[in-house]
Structures are given as C-alpha cells and as structure tokens.
Amino acid sequence: MIVAEPKPLQEVALSVSGYKNVLILGCGTCVSVCLTGGDKEAGILAEELSSSKYFKENQPSFIVKTIERQCEKDMVEAYLEMPPDTDAIISMACGAGVQTVSEIYKKLPVLPALNTTFIGALDESGLWREKCQGCGDCILALTGGICPVARCAKKLFNGPCGGSSKGKCEINPDVDCAWHMIIERLEGLGRTDHYSRIIPFRDWSTDRGGGPRKLVRPDRTSTVAVS
Amino acid sequence: MSFFKVNHNCNGCLSCVQNCPANALSHRDEGSKRTLMHNISLCARCGNCWRICPQKAVEFQGILNGQWDEVTTMELVHCMICGEPLYTDNFKKAMDGKLEYEPAALCPLHKKTFSLDAWRHLAFDEKAVERSA
C-alpha cells in the first residue's frame, strides 16, 4: 500500500492560515490503513488545529469528511458533498489524492496534511517498511522475491557491495542488507543459479527517468478521457 | 440487507457481474427469475460496477455509506454512584483473576474524589452527596 506520515502540525497550520472555512478531507483507503489519513486522523487533526496556538486571530473553522478514495476523480465528483462557504481543503490523502481533488476543485486550494513516503508493507503491528519503488520492470522473479531496487540503498543488481556486515547495511545497522537476504532466500529455494546470472544494464525509462507514467486499459476507456 | 443497491434502471444485463474485479457480484437464474447477488466481504469498493453500468443503475452510496451492523451485545457494569457505563461484565470476569484486588465500580471522577468506603457511606446519605457536589 501507499504509506504516508503526518506533516508537522505547525506546517499544516501555516498552510491554512488566513482561510475561514476549511474542509479536512480524510481518505478511506491506503492512508486509513497506515493510520495517518483516515477519518479518525482527520478528526484528530481538526481537534488539534482548533485548539492550537498557531492561529493568534482569525481561527478557521474546520469540518471533517472522509471519502473512500480521493484518487478517483469520478467518484469524488459524484459523492463528495462540499460544505457551503468552504474556502480551503486540507487533504489527508497521498499526493495522488491531493492532486485529484485539486483538479476537481479548481478554485479551492488543496493543502496536503501528509508526506507521502513509500509503497510499503505492514511488517508488524505499527511498523511499515518500504518494499517497492514502482520502477516499472519487476525483477523479483530473479531475486527471490526481495527487491534490490527498493531495499538496497545502492540499488545494486548483481550482488552486495561489500560494505554490509553481519547481514546489515553499511548506511545503518538497523537496515537489513537486501542482497544478504536475497542470497539466503535463493539458497532456501535451491535457486542460487539466479544469483550467478548477470542482470544487464537497466533501462530506467520505465522508472521516473521516463517521466510521469500512465496505465491505459483500452477496454475500459469508453467513459474515461485518456490524454 | 444488501449494501449494494440498484435503482429501477437495472435490467439484469450482468455488466456489473462480468466487470467486478473482486468477483463480489454474481447472479442466480432460477425458474422465471434472475437474482443479482453481492458479497460485501469480497467487495473491494472500487466502484467499477458503478462506472461500467450502461443503465446508470448502481447506487454506490449504499457501499460508501452503509449502515451499522450489530455484532454482539453484553451486560454492562456501571459506576455505582452516577451510573456511567464503565466496562462489560465479561471484561470484569476476565480481569478478576488478574488483579490483586477487586476494583470498585466507579467512574474516573468518583474514583478520584473519594474512597470507596466514603462513597458507600455517602450513597445512603443524599444530603451528604449534595454537600460533596
């Protein structure tokens, strides 16, 4: 899922300073699950901002709503009922949600309350770790299901760098060496032949190097404009 | 009760069934009747049914703003002074063997204000309660 973390309260308060009627809009999917941007967190943010010391005068009033997904334009347009006189929106969504809501409400500022951090997994209760960078050319079949793009600090494709020690990365002893894990995993699978393969130079145009990416399903584009 | 609702435009074409990525929609043809079925535990709430429906028959707000289901009901223990609900009788039974003493059934306010012995005394003396307020 997409994982995000709350921005400092002061930063959010500063961004909304000067507005009168602010909608705090929670998002019901990824950021609800990672406990940062759902309906509960939207309510907590409204309470914190309402009682905060950040507005010396002209304290804005806050209304909280939550929609299932802020990243789906048609659903937001159809089902989000904007409170009258709203002059700013604080979005509790990831960056995709913030931008989608911005596209819909062209005359309203849409201000992020979160920093979108990574695509990750819940390793244990309350702990999410980055597992994928959405590079667009998955090599997990060759690396025992452990991603060297997202989990090796140097994004190495053909074995460890030599800086790791006792299975830990040289950048931080709390970080597992991805290649240590890959090799252990391949040994366990009896597929060390994958390790002996040389993975060639990578075409990074499928990653951010190729600019913003898109996915088109021609069989589903009849009601959706594709540009 | 179904969270998935369709309006009178639905003609049973099954576009929603065929296009549901989570296989949460199905149908049953029995005798002279076609029944559309939805399984909320499979539903991803993605809205594809709503988007794809050629009749605009899917009322997706039923999925987005569904009603509350009652899950279970059990006995409550209340503050013996003011009657504020504290915890369930089942919770009390679960805790009974784990605590070194039996906690008094008092809300935070009344637990803080007086000792249990004092409240036992005051509970039978309304004037004393009024004085303490």
Side-chain angles (χ1 to χ4, degrees), chain A residues 16 27 34-35 54 72-73 115 121 130 143 148 150 179 181 184 225:
Chain A
V16 84
C27 187
C34 71
L35 310 179
Y54 300 113
E72 293 181 359
K73 196 174 177 181
N115 288 322
E130 184 167 22
T143 57
W179 273 102
M181 290 190 291
E184 281 191 340

Side-chain angles (χ1 to χ4, degrees), chain A residues 5-223:
Chain A
E5 58 188 13
K7 281 183 173 293
L9 189 59
Q10 187 171 8
E11 184 182 337
V12 179
L14 188 64
S15 73
V16 84
S17 177
Y19 297 108
K20 292 177 183 169
N21 300 301
V22 178
L23 171 67
I24 299 183
L25 186 59
C27 187
T29 314
C30 307
V31 291
S32 284
V33 180
C34 71
L35 310 179
T36 49
D39 193 55
K40 183 170 282 185
E41 289 75 30
I44 291 169
L45 180 63
E47 271 187 36
E48 288 178 332
L49 288 174
S50 296
S51 61
S52 82
K53 56 187 182 289
Y54 300 113
F55 306 102
K56 287 176 184 169
E57 49 191 38
N58 301 324
Q59 166 89 33
S61 68
F62 297 99
I63 291 178
V64 172
K65 281 178 178 274
T66 298
I67 195 158
E68 178 68 12
R69 273 181 293 275
Q70 291 186 28
C71 58
E72 293 181 359
K73 196 174 177 181
D74 55 358
M75 200 179 285
V76 175
E77 284 175 329
Y79 291 110
L80 176 59
E81 291 177 14
M82 186 61 60
D85 302 325
T86 299
D87 58 358
I89 301 170
I90 294 179
S91 169
M92 306 284 288
C94 69
V98 174
Q99 292 176 68
T100 303
V101 175
S102 290
E103 279 183 39
I104 298 166
Y105 298 99
K106 296 186 189 309
K107 294 185 176 174
L108 291 177
V110 182
L111 312 160
L114 306 182
N115 288 322
T116 309
T117 41
F118 52 80
I119 302 172
L122 179 70
D123 278 353
E124 55 190 80
S125 180
L127 173 63
W128 291 263
R129 286 198 180 95
E130 184 167 22
K131 298 289 167 71
C132 177
Q133 286 198 355
C135 71
D137 188 9
C138 189
I139 59 162
L140 287 170
L142 295 175
T143 57
I146 295 163
C147 180
V149 179
R151 301 175 70 180
C152 169
K154 298 175 183 175
K155 296 186 182 180
L156 297 180
F157 274 59
N158 290 290
C161 64
S164 63
S165 173
K166 296 177 182 172
K168 299 294 179 184
C169 179
E170 66 179 338
I171 65 158
N172 185 335
D174 290 335
V175 175
D176 292 319
C177 169
W179 273 102
H180 187 100
M181 290 190 291
I182 291 168
I183 292 165
E184 281 191 340
R185 172 85 172 141
L186 291 175
E187 283 174 347
L189 293 171
R191 294 308 306 261
T192 50
D193 58 306
H194 284 174
Y195 182 47
S196 62
R197 285 190 206 181
I198 300 296
I199 299 176
F201 289 125
R202 175 79 175 242
D203 174 6
W204 288 102
S205 66
T206 60
D207 191 79
R208 291 285 306 134
R213 296 162 285 178
K214 66 183 176 186
L215 170 67
V216 180
R217 278 280 303 255
D219 57 331
R220 293 295 176 90
T221 54
S222 58
T223 58

Side-chain angles (χ1 to χ4, degrees), chain A residues 68-69 72 74-75 78-79 220 223, chain B residues 19 45-46 48 50-51 60-61 64:
Chain A
E68 178 68 12
R69 273 181 293 275
E72 293 181 359
D74 55 358
M75 200 179 285
Y79 291 110
R220 293 295 176 90
T223 58
Chain B
N19 287 286
R45 297 154 62 99
C46 65
N48 261 319
W50 169 72
R51 287 190 184 92
F60 204 65
Q61 64 266 34
L64 297 174

